[in-house]
Amino acid sequence: MSGTINILFYPKKRKSDTDGKVTIYCRVTVNLKRAEFSLRRTVEEQRWDSRGAKLRGSSIEVSNLNRFLDNVKNRLFEIYDDRLKARLHISATIIKNIYLGKEGKEYMVLEVFQEHNEEIEGLLGKGFTKGTLQRYKAAYKHVSDYISHKYQQKDIPLRSVDHKFITNLEYYLKSVKGLEHNTSIKYIVNFKKIIRIAYANEWITKDPFFHWKASWKTKEKRYLTQTELDTLQNKESFLPRLELVRDIFVFCCYTGLAYSDVKLLKFENIVIGINGGQWIKMPRKKTKAMSSIPLLPAAEKIIEKYSQHPYVLNGKGVLPVLTNQKSNAYLKEIADVCGIHKNLTTHLARHTFATTVTLSKGVSIATVSKMLGHRSLKTTQIYAKVLDSKIGDEMNLLKERLAQEEKDLATSKNND
């Protein structure tokens, strides 16, 4: 692809420029897209002629620098003309890379993926979390295993990734790795970011994801019924370690907090709300959306129960929360003790709050959405659909009961 080219030289101060000078940069623009690079030459900023894009003066030093700039410009135009004559793809990045001697480098899938993950690791706490890094590391491992399985190689060039590679990767994750549909799609979406980085840097000329679209399957949210929640809440014969995890789980059932949020909960997040009662006001770790949750008596009781726990007294948090892995392991034991035949996880408590504790009791979906810290009402509506299905099931039971009563009545009349 051809296009008009423009070349500009300009000064820019870098951190390493500590002698009062600035570094000269070159900006190549093709079809309104830019590529910039340092010329590794420094000048006094006040001597730079911005209009003429050159250094003012008539000394030998000035003449040599301006001649150097002319040579750079001529070489860049020469590269442009050569590619134009050969009808090769032209872009600002390609011209820059050829000038710098970088053209011809074969960028590899896992090499670029690894560099991306290392950048995220260096930015932990600055816009990225450990959870995000773990997801990308897991995606890297799956793509690496797929390349080894499919191509019997340690890595392949980015240019080898096409639409078939993506669809085969999806099949591999489901069939060989045994992952569920949505889990497979999540990993492919992670990989998609790597390909988009390569496309933006023009390391590849086509986006292989152009005709691929993530298709998500809606999963019904699991939650505890009121009977199950009462059984869990009122059970007394627990081992201390199980009792602690049960209490944290129940606390989440009455606040809607996710595990990562209750782990971060501090006393400064508990304030006096508009109704004069205690409220939790905190941004969700996952979305940064603000949650506003009035504390129900059951939740307040649990906070009071652990107010003298060493973890709390040391200022580490409102509740002594164990790791997510331990909590989920202990919840399986708790389910067995309580006779609950569901896969209890820390996140199931959040679903229970949305359904059993609030929506089923008549709390509006808008209010529940605000308490859960959802950015979109559509996210909360999933729970309303769950309740609709439960209403249907219960109405079917009612119909059966009414039909049985009519049958019994008819039998009674016949006997009379």
Side-chain angles (χ1 to χ4, degrees), residues 53 74 131 203 257:
N74 289 335
W203 300 333
L257 291 179

Side-chain angles (χ1 to χ4, degrees), residues 351-401:
H351 299 167
T352 301
F353 173 79
T355 53
T356 303
V357 175
T358 56
L359 287 172
S360 66
K361 303 292 193 300
V363 179
S364 73
I365 193 168
T367 299
V368 174
S369 184
K370 178 67 175 176
M371 289 190 288
L372 290 174
H374 286 164
R375 289 192 176 277
S376 170
L377 202 61
K378 289 182 179 179
T379 308
T380 320
Q381 286 172 341
I382 295 172
Y383 296 104
K385 290 178 181 178
V386 171
L387 287 176
D388 285 345
S389 66
K390 181 171 175 57
I391 290 171
D393 292 341
E394 292 182 352
M395 288 304 291
N396 286 334
L397 290 174
L398 176 61
K399 289 178 182 178
E400 292 176 8
R401 190 177 298 121

Side-chain angles (χ1 to χ4, degrees), residues 248-315:
I248 302 299
F249 181 87
V250 170
F251 181 82
C252 292
C253 286
Y254 284 99
T255 60
L257 291 179
Y259 167 82
S260 58
D261 296 321
V262 74
K263 181 79 173 175
L264 294 173
L265 183 63
K266 306 293 184 187
F267 281 103
E268 54 261 35
N269 298 128
I270 300 178
V271 301
I272 300 302
I274 193 170
N275 62 352
Q278 293 189 98
W279 288 46
I280 292 176
K281 292 267 190 179
M282 67 182 300
R284 286 201 65 203
K285 182 179 179 181
K286 181 178 180 180
T287 64
K288 307 305 179 187
M290 184 63 71
S291 293
S292 298
I293 311 161
L295 279 175
L296 295 171
E300 290 180 320
K301 185 178 179 181
I302 292 172
I303 291 176
E304 177 62 28
K305 179 177 179 179
Y306 291 95
S307 62
Q308 300 304 307
H309 192 283
Y311 182 95
V312 179
L313 293 175
N314 289 333

Side-chain angles (χ1 to χ4, degrees), residues 70 83 155 166 170 176 192 218 225 233 238 264 267 277 311 402:
D70 287 337
R83 294 189 71 84
D155 205 351
I166 299 165
E170 182 179 343
V176 178
K192 180 179 179 180
T218 302
T225 63
Q233 191 173 352
F238 274 127
L264 294 173
F267 281 103
Y311 182 95
L402 291 174

Side-chain angles (χ1 to χ4, degrees), residues 56 68 82 157 219 224 244 246 313 359:
R56 296 189 187 95
F68 166 73
D82 288 345
K219 291 181 64 177
L224 295 184
L244 170 60
R246 185 276 307 270
L313 293 175
L359 287 172

